[in-house]
Amino acid sequence: MRTTIRTSIGLLAGALLAATAGAQTISIKGSDTLGAKLVPQLAESFKAKHPGVKFEIAAEGSSTAFPALANGTAQIGMSSRKAKSEEITAARAKGIKLNEVEACHDMITVIVNKGNPVKALTKDQVAKIFTGQVKDWSEVGGAPGPISVYTRNTSSGTYKDWQGLAMKGRDYAPGSQKLAGNEQIAQEVAKNKNGIGYVGLAYSKANGTQTVSIDGVQPVAANAKTFAYSRACYFYVPDSADATVKEFVEFATGAEGQGIAQRIGFVPNH
Amino acid sequence: MTDSERRTVPADHPFRRKGRSNEGLIKTFFQSNAALTIIILVLIILFLLREGIGFFPHYRDELAVYRRAGLEFVDISRKDLTAHEQMGSLLNRAYFAQVNAGCRRELQRSTEAAALANYVSETVDPAHDALERVKEAAGENAPPAELMEKLTAKYRSLLADALAGRAGKGLPATPHLSDGERRTLLDQLAARDPLSTDDPALVAELQAAVAAKQAESAAPYAAFREAVDAFQDSSSSLTLLISETGDTVKATKEAAVLHEIEVIKRGTLLEAAAKAKSADEKAQLEADAKAAVTTEPVNFAEAIAPVLARVPDWRAANAEMVKALAEVGPKLPATLADEKANRYLATFRKAEDAFSRELADTPAKLDAWKWDAPVGLGSTVLGFLTGRDWITGGEWQDFYGIVPLFAGSVMISLIALVFAIPFGVGAAIYTNQLAGQRQQRFIKPTIEFLQAIPSVVLGFVGIAVLGTFLYEMSAKDSLSWLPGFPIQQRLNMFTAGALLGLMAIPTIFTLSEDALNNVPSAFSEASDALGASKLQTIFRVTVPAAISGILAAVLLGLGRVIGETMVVLLVAGNRIQIPDFTEGLGTIFQPAHTLTGIIAQELGEVPFGSVHYRALFVIGILLFSIVLGINWSSQRLLKRFRIGHH
């Protein structure tokens, strides 16, 4: 009897230990573009297959990914831009070597208020609007009204990407308003009939807004190759990451993960 | 303690020792608490100073590279280009305002029809989306008929709702469309294929009508258009020069920065190697360090030579713009029929002189510019305090000038005080002087309760309720006579100021009430005895006697407002630009960014120890000094002008 109790206690303890060993938390930090919709959904599907794995996702801008990776507070970094060499070095100096993995492709779409008759713009017009040379909708064929420009804030990878992709590296118009994320931009554009902003493709179907075709190309996933504002998004993973983390990244870049990406409105890797 | 007392209790008596040690313990406890608080305060100040103080030398180094690489040289002319673009934009807007003035009716008709079509499209959107997804998922195969049927039925019911105006706010009014047109439009929408989002024929027709009318009303202004185009085109050679030279100097700067990064990288790696735990890791890091520096230091003199060789080109481009500016004036129409167009034109004429002076100065500036002139620490500090640009995370050059942020903070605080002073002081006077006991017991805790609302909650109220309410209210025609109406932005200084005012009311109320309470009752009794009425006593005797306390309360309220972060971050609109004061009172409805907001928005994301990071700390120091100064002066005020307490 006593042996039975002992064995069962032993077994129970073993099972508990095994369970706690399996209960692992993966902390993912960085880009708002990836972290607001795509990564949480990937995490949900991954959890369904690997019970016991927990996720902590913080999406506050690409620049937050690298310090977190270097400090060891994140196991995976999300970024909508390539890491800068300083960021890689900072991590390397702390003994962490980062590997770059292409997560998916994204298109930055220009959105305007639903009531705006302007449905097409040229690249040149977009550059002029965001640098502040064009200030009134009537200058680009719309109903008269002063243009309100909404941009992401300076920590965002999209903020910098947009400068390179759409504005030839020029500075944003001083009159532009810097908002925290894609959702906020969509919200303000939906409220302001003279608003214009840019959001990731996944956010382009927000209520009250509509996308604008650029140089005649509609911003839909099928046009990823010809659309003017396409870019790649990345995961950054330390070389020393454990098996579960690597498995998650493989899952995200594999067929199923890419399927999820496509469903949400990203463009899968080819 | 006298000698005789000391003798009554012997020095080694247990009673005496006991009493003394307990007392001493308690004393030490409180003393250490106070000391700890002071030490923590000092540590905070030291930390702020340590992080912030390095900013100016670092920023100076950045500005030195900015100058040596020649970015500053390009920016001399870029300023002209920006001004030229603004001038061109004014003419362009004048032209389009004038053209559109002739087609107001067509525009209204088109907008109304589009709004109606939008309303219907939005209502049926869920069903339409679902249908599209099902069709997409089916791909080449025929979509499942049963599901399609169900969704189509859903679409029909939503469509019926939309056409009857049962969804949302109901069908938008179309006062400029005839009943027949409205019916046609609704019929066209009803007949639209569930899978299509194309505009109904009538909407397209009305848009075509707008275009035709625009062409018609543009005809008399063809010469004006030509003049505008010629003016705008005159900057093309400067634009080309700037983009070509810009690439060259940016490459120089990048090379310089890269070299610097590599040197720092080597340092960091060597440091890490010194601390490495295993020999292997150490060897690896040292090898990395050796390989870290791959570039030569940049020779700035050599890099800038080709840029300076093109000074004649810059002069030519400048001359072209000067000529175009001189030519455009006579070609412009004397006045335009539309009031708004005329305003733009007048603004252009007013700015013409300043712009032509600016253009004329440029060649001299180009000649005088020296790539190797040193950047002084004084001018760096001055640039920080008086700089009109706060540009960070840019591709060209980061600038840290706090004037726009400071202006935003000051404007919002003033708006807040305009709300808080009458409410706070007024309520204090009423409660202290006029209200009965029961009212007092109700009013005081209620107002003080305001303070319990977390600022982030107020921020949400600001966005969701106050901001939206004001934005929608201001769009009403009957209110358009108010300055700044209709409001352009839902998030603006006024909304933020109003909420901050609400937050300052309890502070001002409580302290003003205390001040009124502290006025000796002899004052009002004497006034009563002389036959003064209650109101006379209040405004001639009691309030003047308490004025220093009330002013101190207002200052403390200001200190609270200027240091508040969450509300301004959420509600003020985050536009880094000095408010455009030409709008008069309407200025308060512009968005702005603040000293506190910028720290909250950017500090979490800047690389640790970077110039940007330090710049935010300097702003922190500045804020700290401002609030300290305000609180100190309120204390001084209280002491100096206290009446009846001699």
Side-chain angles (χ1 to χ4, degrees), chain A residues 60 63-64 86 89 92-93 114-115 132-133 135-136 138-139 144 146 148 150 153-155 159-160 163-164 169-171 174-178 188 191-193 208, chain B residues 85-86 89 92-93 96 100 107 118 122 261 265 268 272 284 288 344 391-395 468 471 488-491 573-577 591 601-602 604-605:
Chain A
E60 286 154 356
S63 295
T64 58
E86 301 104 287
T89 319
R92 184 79 193 86
K114 197 105 189 174
Q133 295 172 52
K135 292 174 187 292
D136 198 287
S138 61
E139 295 179 67
S148 298
Y150 297 99
N153 62 31
T154 50
S155 70
Y159 179 89
K160 292 192 182 76
Q163 232 178 357
R170 286 191 56 172
D171 284 320
S176 61
Q177 285 177 260
K178 297 185 169 46
E188 286 311 310
K191 285 278 178 197
N192 186 342
K193 70 177 174 14
Chain B
E85 282 165 0
Q86 298 305 327
S89 167
N92 215 14
R93 278 182 281 168
F96 279 108
N100 282 325
L107 277 168
N118 263 336
E122 215 148 87
I261 288 173
K265 184 173 168 181
T268 331
Q284 173 68 36
D288 279 358
Y344 285 133
I391 298 171
T392 57
E395 294 216 339
T468 310
Y471 183 72
Q488 299 297 340
Q489 300 292 344
R490 188 166 68 117
L491 306 178
N574 301 346
R575 183 174 83 174
I576 308 177
Q577 191 181 31
Q601 193 172 41
E602 296 186 344
E605 295 114 5

Coordinates of all heavy atoms in Angstrom, one line a residue, chain A residues 60 63-64 86 89 92-93 114-115 132-133 135-136 138-139 144 146 148 150 153-155 159-160 163-164 169-171 174-178 188 191-193 208, chain B residues 85-86 89 92-93 96 100 107 118 122 261 265 268 272 284 288 344 391-395 468 471 488-491 573-577 591 601-602 604-605:
Chain A
E60 N 4.6 47.4 -30.2 CA 4.7 48.9 -30.0 C 5.7 49.6 -31.0 O 6.2 50.6 -30.7 CB 5.2 49.1 -28.6 CG 4.1 48.9 -27.6 CD 4.7 48.5 -26.2 OE1 5.9 48.4 -26.1 OE2 3.8 48.3 -25.3
S63 N 11.1 49.5 -33.6 CA 12.3 49.8 -32.9 C 12.4 49.2 -31.5 O 13.4 49.1 -30.9 CB 12.4 51.3 -32.8 OG 12.6 51.9 -34.0
T64 N 11.2 48.8 -31.0 CA 11.2 48.2 -29.7 C 11.7 46.7 -29.7 O 12.0 46.2 -28.6 CB 9.8 48.2 -29.0 OG1 8.9 47.5 -29.9 CG2 9.3 49.6 -28.9
E86 N 23.5 49.1 -36.2 CA 23.8 49.3 -34.8 C 23.0 48.4 -33.9 O 23.4 47.9 -32.9 CB 23.3 50.7 -34.4 CG 23.9 51.9 -35.0 CD 22.9 52.5 -36.1 OE1 22.8 51.8 -37.1 OE2 22.4 53.6 -35.8
T89 N 24.5 45.0 -33.9 CA 25.7 45.0 -33.0 C 25.4 45.1 -31.6 O 26.1 44.4 -30.8 CB 26.6 46.3 -33.4 OG1 26.6 46.5 -34.8 CG2 28.0 46.1 -32.9
R92 N 24.7 41.8 -30.5 CA 25.9 40.9 -30.6 C 26.8 41.2 -29.4 O 27.4 40.3 -28.9 CB 26.6 41.3 -31.9 CG 27.8 40.4 -32.2 CD 27.4 39.0 -32.8 NE 28.5 38.1 -32.8 CZ 28.8 37.3 -31.7 NH1 28.2 37.4 -30.6 NH2 29.8 36.5 -31.8
A93 N 26.9 42.5 -29.0 CA 27.8 42.8 -27.9 C 27.3 42.2 -26.6 O 28.1 41.9 -25.7 CB 27.8 44.3 -27.7
K114 N -14.3 57.5 -46.5 CA -15.3 56.9 -47.5 C -16.0 57.9 -48.3 O -16.3 57.6 -49.5 CB -16.3 56.1 -46.6 CG -17.1 55.1 -47.4 CD -16.6 53.7 -47.0 CE -17.2 52.7 -48.0 NZ -16.6 51.4 -47.7
G115 N -16.3 59.1 -47.8 CA -17.0 60.0 -48.6 C -16.2 60.8 -49.6 O -16.7 61.7 -50.3
G132 N 3.6 68.0 -47.9 CA 2.9 69.2 -47.7 C 2.9 70.2 -48.8 O 2.7 71.4 -48.6
Q133 N 3.3 69.8 -50.0 CA 3.2 70.7 -51.1 C 1.8 70.8 -51.7 O 1.4 71.9 -52.2 CB 4.1 70.2 -52.3 CG 5.5 70.1 -52.0 CD 6.3 69.4 -53.1 OE1 6.2 69.8 -54.2 NE2 7.1 68.4 -52.7
K135 N -2.0 70.9 -50.5 CA -2.7 71.1 -49.2 C -4.2 71.0 -49.3 O -4.9 71.0 -48.3 CB -2.4 72.5 -48.6 CG -0.9 72.6 -48.2 CD -0.7 74.1 -47.8 CE 0.7 74.3 -47.5 NZ 1.3 73.7 -46.3
D136 N -4.7 71.0 -50.5 CA -6.2 71.0 -50.7 C -6.6 69.9 -51.6 O -5.9 69.7 -52.6 CB -6.6 72.4 -51.2 CG -8.1 72.6 -50.9 OD1 -8.9 72.0 -51.6 OD2 -8.4 73.4 -50.0
S138 N -8.9 69.9 -53.7 CA -9.2 70.3 -55.0 C -8.0 70.3 -56.0 O -8.1 70.2 -57.2 CB -9.8 71.7 -55.0 OG -8.9 72.6 -54.5
E139 N -6.8 70.3 -55.4 CA -5.6 70.3 -56.2 C -5.3 68.9 -56.8 O -4.6 68.8 -57.8 CB -4.3 70.7 -55.4 CG -4.4 72.1 -54.9 CD -3.2 72.5 -54.1 OE1 -2.1 72.5 -54.6 OE2 -3.3 72.7 -52.9
P144 N -13.3 70.5 -52.7 CA -12.5 71.5 -51.9 C -12.5 71.2 -50.4 O -13.5 70.9 -49.9 CB -13.1 72.8 -52.2 CG -13.9 72.7 -53.4 CD -14.3 71.2 -53.5
P146 N -9.3 71.3 -46.9 CA -7.9 71.2 -46.6 C -7.5 69.8 -46.2 O -8.3 69.1 -45.4 CB -7.7 72.1 -45.4 CG -9.1 72.3 -44.8 CD -10.1 72.1 -45.9
S148 N -6.0 66.7 -44.3 CA -5.4 66.4 -43.0 C -4.5 65.1 -43.2 O -5.1 64.1 -43.6 CB -6.4 66.1 -42.0 OG -7.2 67.2 -41.8
Y150 N -2.4 62.0 -41.8 CA -2.1 61.3 -40.6 C -1.0 60.3 -40.8 O -1.0 59.6 -41.8 CB -3.4 60.5 -40.2 CG -4.5 61.4 -39.8 CD1 -5.5 61.6 -40.7 CD2 -4.5 62.0 -38.5 CE1 -6.6 62.5 -40.3 CE2 -5.6 62.9 -38.2 CZ -6.6 63.1 -39.1 OH -7.6 63.9 -38.8
N153 N 3.9 57.2 -35.8 CA 5.0 58.0 -35.1 C 6.4 57.5 -35.4 O 6.5 56.5 -36.0 CB 4.7 58.1 -33.6 CG 4.7 56.7 -32.9 OD1 5.4 55.9 -33.4 ND2 3.9 56.6 -31.9
T154 N 7.4 58.2 -34.9 CA 8.7 58.0 -35.4 C 9.3 56.6 -35.0 O 10.3 56.2 -35.6 CB 9.6 59.1 -34.8 OG1 9.5 59.2 -33.4 CG2 9.3 60.4 -35.4
S155 N 8.7 55.9 -34.1 CA 9.3 54.6 -33.7 C 8.9 53.5 -34.7 O 9.4 52.4 -34.7 CB 8.9 54.2 -32.3 OG 7.5 53.9 -32.4
Y159 N 6.8 54.2 -40.6 CA 7.1 55.6 -40.7 C 8.3 55.8 -41.6 O 8.3 56.7 -42.5 CB 7.3 56.2 -39.3 CG 7.7 57.7 -39.2 CD1 6.7 58.6 -39.1 CD2 9.0 58.1 -39.2 CE1 7.0 60.0 -39.0 CE2 9.3 59.4 -39.1 CZ 8.3 60.4 -39.0 OH 8.6 61.7 -38.9
K160 N 9.3 55.1 -41.4 CA 10.6 55.2 -42.1 C 10.4 54.6 -43.5 O 10.9 55.2 -44.5 CB 11.7 54.6 -41.4 CG 12.1 55.3 -40.1 CD 13.4 54.8 -39.6 CE 13.7 55.5 -38.2 NZ 12.9 55.0 -37.1
Q163 N 8.7 57.0 -45.8 CA 9.6 58.1 -46.2 C 10.4 57.6 -47.4 O 10.6 58.4 -48.4 CB 10.5 58.5 -45.1 CG 10.5 59.9 -44.8 CD 11.3 60.3 -43.6 OE1 11.9 59.5 -43.0 NE2 11.4 61.6 -43.4
G164 N 10.9 56.4 -47.4 CA 11.7 55.9 -48.5 C 10.9 55.5 -49.7 O 11.3 55.9 -50.8
G169 N 12.6 60.1 -49.4 CA 13.4 60.4 -48.3 C 13.2 61.8 -47.7 O 13.9 62.3 -46.8
R170 N 12.3 62.6 -48.3 CA 12.0 63.9 -47.8 C 11.3 63.9 -46.4 O 10.7 62.8 -46.1 CB 11.2 64.7 -48.8 CG 12.0 65.2 -50.0 CD 11.2 66.2 -50.8 NE 10.8 67.3 -50.0 CZ 10.3 68.4 -50.5 NH1 10.0 68.5 -51.8 NH2 9.9 69.4 -49.7
D171 N 11.3 65.0 -45.7 CA 10.6 65.0 -44.4 C 9.1 65.1 -44.6 O 8.7 65.7 -45.6 CB 11.2 66.2 -43.6 CG 12.5 65.9 -43.0 OD1 12.8 64.7 -42.6 OD2 13.4 66.8 -43.0
P174 N 5.2 69.4 -41.9 CA 5.1 69.7 -40.5 C 3.6 69.7 -40.0 O 3.4 69.5 -38.8 CB 5.6 71.2 -40.4 CG 5.9 71.6 -41.8 CD 5.7 70.5 -42.7
G175 N 2.7 69.8 -40.9 CA 1.3 69.7 -40.4 C 0.7 68.3 -40.2 O -0.4 68.2 -39.9
S176 N 1.6 67.3 -40.4 CA 1.1 66.0 -40.3 C 0.9 65.6 -38.8 O 1.6 66.1 -38.0 CB 2.0 65.0 -41.0 OG 3.3 65.0 -40.4
Q177 N 0.0 64.7 -38.6 CA -0.3 64.3 -37.2 C 0.2 62.9 -37.0 O -0.1 62.0 -37.7 CB -1.8 64.4 -36.9 CG -2.3 65.8 -36.7 CD -3.7 65.9 -36.5 OE1 -4.5 66.1 -37.4 NE2 -4.2 65.6 -35.2
K178 N 1.0 62.7 -35.9 CA 1.6 61.4 -35.6 C 0.7 60.6 -34.7 O 0.5 61.0 -33.6 CB 3.0 61.6 -35.1 CG 3.9 62.4 -36.1 CD 5.3 62.5 -35.6 CE 6.1 63.0 -36.8 NZ 5.6 64.1 -37.5
E188 N -9.1 57.9 -37.4 CA -9.1 59.3 -37.6 C -9.6 59.6 -39.1 O -10.3 60.5 -39.3 CB -7.8 60.0 -37.3 CG -7.5 60.1 -35.8 CD -8.6 60.7 -35.0 OE1 -9.1 61.8 -35.4 OE2 -8.9 60.1 -34.0
K191 N -13.2 59.4 -39.4 CA -13.9 60.5 -38.8 C -13.8 61.8 -39.6 O -14.6 62.6 -39.5 CB -13.4 60.7 -37.4 CG -13.8 59.7 -36.4 CD -15.2 60.0 -35.9 CE -15.6 58.9 -34.9 NZ -17.0 58.9 -34.7
N192 N -12.7 61.9 -40.3 CA -12.4 63.2 -40.9 C -12.5 63.1 -42.4 O -11.8 62.4 -43.1 CB -10.9 63.6 -40.6 CG -10.6 65.0 -41.1 OD1 -11.3 65.5 -41.9 ND2 -9.6 65.6 -40.5
K193 N -13.5 63.8 -43.0 CA -13.7 63.7 -44.4 C -12.6 64.2 -45.3 O -12.5 63.8 -46.5 CB -15.1 64.3 -44.8 CG -15.1 65.8 -44.8 CD -16.4 66.3 -45.3 CE -16.7 67.7 -45.2 NZ -15.8 68.8 -45.0
G208 N -15.6 53.0 -42.8 CA -15.5 54.5 -43.0 C -14.3 54.9 -43.8 O -14.2 56.1 -44.0
Chain B
E85 N 7.5 76.2 -52.9 CA 6.4 75.2 -53.0 C 5.2 75.7 -52.3 O 4.0 75.6 -52.8 CB 6.8 73.9 -52.4 CG 7.7 73.1 -53.3 CD 8.4 71.9 -52.6 OE1 8.3 71.8 -51.4 OE2 9.2 71.2 -53.3
Q86 N 5.4 76.4 -51.1 CA 4.3 76.9 -50.4 C 3.6 78.0 -51.2 O 2.4 78.1 -51.2 CB 4.7 77.4 -49.0 CG 5.3 76.4 -48.1 CD 4.4 75.2 -47.9 OE1 3.2 75.3 -47.8 NE2 5.0 74.0 -47.8
S89 N 1.7 76.5 -53.9 CA 0.5 75.9 -53.4 C -0.6 76.9 -53.2 O -1.8 76.7 -53.5 CB 0.8 75.1 -52.1 OG -0.3 74.8 -51.5
N92 N -2.0 77.7 -56.5 CA -2.8 76.6 -57.0 C -4.2 76.5 -56.3 O -5.2 76.3 -56.9 CB -2.0 75.3 -56.7 CG -2.2 74.3 -57.7 OD1 -2.7 74.5 -58.8 ND2 -1.7 73.1 -57.4
R93 N -4.1 76.7 -55.0 CA -5.4 76.7 -54.2 C -6.3 77.8 -54.6 O -7.5 77.6 -54.7 CB -5.1 76.7 -52.7 CG -4.7 75.3 -52.2 CD -4.5 75.4 -50.7 NE -3.2 75.9 -50.4 CZ -2.8 76.3 -49.1 NH1 -3.7 76.2 -48.2 NH2 -1.6 76.7 -48.9
F96 N -7.9 76.7 -57.9 CA -8.9 75.7 -57.8 C -10.1 76.2 -57.0 O -11.3 75.8 -57.3 CB -8.4 74.4 -57.1 CG -7.6 73.6 -58.1 CD1 -6.3 73.5 -58.1 CD2 -8.3 72.9 -59.1 CE1 -5.6 72.7 -59.0 CE2 -7.6 72.1 -60.1 CZ -6.3 72.0 -60.0
N100 N -13.7 75.9 -58.6 CA -14.8 75.2 -58.0 C -15.9 76.1 -57.5 O -17.0 75.6 -57.3 CB -14.2 74.4 -56.8 CG -13.5 73.2 -57.2 OD1 -13.9 72.5 -58.2 ND2 -12.4 72.8 -56.6
L107 N -21.1 70.2 -57.4 CA -20.3 69.5 -56.4 C -21.2 69.0 -55.3 O -21.1 67.8 -54.9 CB -19.3 70.4 -55.8 CG -17.9 70.5 -56.6 CD1 -17.1 71.7 -56.0 CD2 -17.2 69.2 -56.5
N118 N -23.0 55.7 -50.7 CA -22.1 55.2 -49.6 C -22.9 54.5 -48.5 O -22.6 53.5 -47.9 CB -21.3 56.3 -49.0 CG -19.9 56.3 -49.6 OD1 -19.5 55.3 -50.1 ND2 -19.4 57.5 -49.6
E122 N -22.5 50.8 -47.4 CA -22.0 50.5 -46.0 C -23.0 49.5 -45.3 O -22.5 48.6 -44.6 CB -21.8 51.7 -45.2 CG -20.6 51.6 -44.3 CD -19.9 53.0 -44.1 OE1 -20.4 53.7 -43.3 OE2 -19.0 53.3 -44.9
I261 N 30.1 54.4 -36.4 CA 29.5 53.2 -35.8 C 30.4 52.1 -35.7 O 30.5 51.4 -34.6 CB 28.2 52.8 -36.6 CG1 27.1 53.9 -36.5 CG2 27.7 51.5 -36.2 CD1 26.0 53.6 -37.4
K265 N 31.4 50.2 -32.5 CA 31.1 48.7 -32.5 C 32.4 48.0 -31.9 O 32.3 47.1 -31.1 CB 30.8 48.3 -33.9 CG 30.4 46.9 -34.1 CD 30.0 46.7 -35.5 CE 29.8 45.2 -35.9 NZ 29.5 45.1 -37.3
T268 N 32.6 48.5 -28.3 CA 31.6 47.7 -27.5 C 32.0 46.2 -27.5 O 31.9 45.6 -26.4 CB 30.2 47.8 -28.2 OG1 30.1 49.0 -28.9 CG2 29.1 47.6 -27.2
A272 N 32.9 43.9 -24.3 CA 32.2 42.7 -24.0 C 33.3 41.5 -23.9 O 33.1 40.6 -23.1 CB 31.2 42.3 -25.1
Q284 N 36.2 34.8 -29.8 CA 35.3 35.1 -30.8 C 35.0 36.6 -30.9 O 35.0 37.2 -31.9 CB 34.0 34.3 -30.5 CG 32.8 34.6 -31.4 CD 33.1 34.1 -32.8 OE1 33.7 33.1 -33.1 NE2 32.6 34.9 -33.8
D288 N 35.7 39.3 -33.8 CA 34.7 40.2 -34.3 C 35.1 41.7 -34.2 O 34.9 42.4 -35.2 CB 33.4 40.0 -33.5 CG 32.6 38.8 -33.9 OD1 33.0 38.1 -34.8 OD2 31.6 38.5 -33.2
Y344 N -6.5 83.5 -50.7 CA -5.2 82.8 -51.0 C -4.3 83.8 -51.8 O -3.1 83.9 -51.6 CB -5.5 81.6 -51.9 CG -6.0 80.4 -51.0 CD1 -7.1 79.7 -51.5 CD2 -5.4 80.0 -49.9 CE1 -7.6 78.6 -50.8 CE2 -5.9 79.0 -49.1 CZ -7.0 78.3 -49.6 OH -7.5 77.2 -48.9
I391 N 12.4 67.3 -35.7 CA 12.3 66.2 -36.7 C 13.2 65.1 -36.2 O 14.4 65.2 -36.0 CB 12.9 66.7 -38.0 CG1 12.0 67.9 -38.5 CG2 12.8 65.6 -39.1 CD1 12.6 68.6 -39.7
T392 N 12.5 63.9 -36.0 CA 13.3 62.8 -35.5 C 12.9 61.6 -36.4 O 11.9 61.5 -37.0 CB 13.0 62.4 -34.1 OG1 11.6 62.2 -34.0 CG2 13.4 63.5 -33.1
G393 N 13.9 60.6 -36.4 CA 13.6 59.4 -37.2 C 13.5 59.7 -38.7 O 13.0 58.9 -39.4
G394 N 14.1 60.8 -39.1 CA 14.1 61.1 -40.5 C 15.3 60.5 -41.3 O 16.2 60.0 -40.7
E395 N 15.2 60.6 -42.6 CA 16.3 60.1 -43.4 C 17.4 61.1 -43.6 O 18.5 60.7 -43.9 CB 15.8 59.6 -44.7 CG 14.8 58.5 -44.6 CD 15.0 57.5 -45.8 OE1 15.5 58.0 -46.9 OE2 14.6 56.4 -45.7
T468 N -15.4 64.2 -30.5 CA -16.4 63.8 -31.6 C -17.6 64.8 -31.5 O -18.0 65.2 -32.6 CB -16.9 62.4 -31.4 OG1 -15.7 61.5 -31.2 CG2 -17.7 61.9 -32.6
Y471 N -16.5 68.1 -32.9 CA -16.3 68.0 -34.3 C -17.6 68.0 -35.1 O -17.7 68.7 -36.1 CB -15.5 66.7 -34.6 CG -15.1 66.5 -36.1 CD1 -14.1 67.3 -36.6 CD2 -15.7 65.6 -36.8 CE1 -13.7 67.1 -37.9 CE2 -15.3 65.4 -38.2 CZ -14.3 66.2 -38.7 OH -14.0 66.0 -40.0
Q488 N -11.4 71.5 -38.1 CA -10.8 70.6 -39.1 C -10.4 69.2 -38.4 O -10.4 68.2 -39.1 CB -9.5 71.2 -39.7 CG -9.8 72.5 -40.4 CD -10.7 72.3 -41.6 OE1 -10.9 71.2 -42.1 NE2 -11.3 73.3 -42.1
Q489 N -10.0 69.3 -37.2 CA -9.4 68.0 -36.6 C -10.2 67.7 -35.3 O -10.5 68.6 -34.5 CB -8.0 68.3 -36.2 CG -7.1 68.6 -37.3 CD -6.9 67.4 -38.3 OE1 -7.2 66.3 -37.9 NE2 -6.4 67.7 -39.5
R490 N -10.5 66.4 -35.2 CA -11.2 66.0 -34.0 C -10.3 66.1 -32.7 O -10.8 66.4 -31.7 CB -11.6 64.5 -34.2 CG -12.6 64.0 -33.2 CD -13.1 62.7 -33.7 NE -12.1 61.7 -33.8 CZ -12.1 60.5 -33.1 NH1 -13.1 60.3 -32.3 NH2 -11.2 59.6 -33.3
L491 N -9.0 65.8 -32.9 CA -8.1 65.9 -31.8 C -7.4 67.3 -31.9 O -6.7 67.5 -32.8 CB -7.1 64.8 -31.9 CG -7.7 63.4 -32.0 CD1 -6.6 62.3 -32.1 CD2 -8.6 63.1 -30.8
G573 N -3.7 65.7 -30.5 CA -3.5 65.6 -32.0 C -2.1 65.4 -32.4 O -1.9 65.1 -33.6
N574 N -1.1 65.6 -31.6 CA 0.3 65.3 -31.9 C 0.8 65.8 -33.2 O 1.3 65.1 -34.1 CB 0.5 63.8 -31.9 CG 0.2 63.2 -30.5 OD1 0.0 63.9 -29.5 ND2 0.0 61.9 -30.4
R575 N 0.6 67.1 -33.5 CA 1.1 67.7 -34.7 C 2.3 68.6 -34.2 O 2.1 69.6 -33.5 CB 0.1 68.5 -35.4 CG 0.6 69.1 -36.7 CD -0.5 69.8 -37.4 NE -0.7 71.2 -36.9 CZ -1.5 72.0 -37.5 NH1 -2.3 71.7 -38.5 NH2 -1.7 73.2 -37.0
I576 N 3.5 68.3 -34.7 CA 4.7 69.0 -34.3 C 4.8 70.3 -35.1 O 5.6 70.3 -36.1 CB 5.9 68.2 -34.3 CG1 5.7 66.9 -33.6 CG2 7.1 68.9 -33.7 CD1 6.8 65.9 -33.6
Q577 N 4.1 71.3 -34.8 CA 4.2 72.5 -35.6 C 3.8 73.7 -34.7 O 2.9 73.5 -33.9 CB 3.2 72.4 -36.8 CG 3.4 73.5 -37.8 CD 2.4 73.3 -39.0 OE1 1.3 72.9 -38.8 NE2 2.8 73.8 -40.2
P591 N -4.4 71.1 -33.9 CA -3.7 70.1 -33.1 C -2.3 70.6 -32.7 O -1.8 71.5 -33.4 CB -3.6 68.9 -34.0 CG -4.0 69.3 -35.4 CD -4.5 70.7 -35.3
Q601 N 5.6 59.7 -26.0 CA 5.5 59.0 -27.3 C 6.8 58.4 -27.8 O 6.8 57.4 -28.4 CB 5.0 60.0 -28.3 CG 4.5 59.3 -29.5 CD 3.8 60.3 -30.5 OE1 4.2 61.4 -30.7 NE2 2.7 59.8 -31.1
E602 N 7.9 59.1 -27.5 CA 9.1 58.7 -28.1 C 10.1 57.9 -27.2 O 10.9 57.2 -27.7 CB 9.8 59.9 -28.8 CG 9.0 60.5 -29.9 CD 9.6 61.6 -30.7 OE1 10.6 62.1 -30.2 OE2 9.1 61.9 -31.8
G604 N 9.9 55.5 -25.1 CA 9.9 54.0 -25.1 C 10.6 53.4 -26.2 O 11.0 52.2 -26.2
E605 N 10.8 54.1 -27.3 CA 11.3 53.5 -28.5 C 12.6 53.9 -29.0 O 13.1 53.4 -29.9 CB 10.2 53.7 -29.6 CG 8.9 53.1 -29.3 CD 7.8 54.1 -29.1 OE1 8.1 55.3 -29.3 OE2 6.7 53.7 -28.8

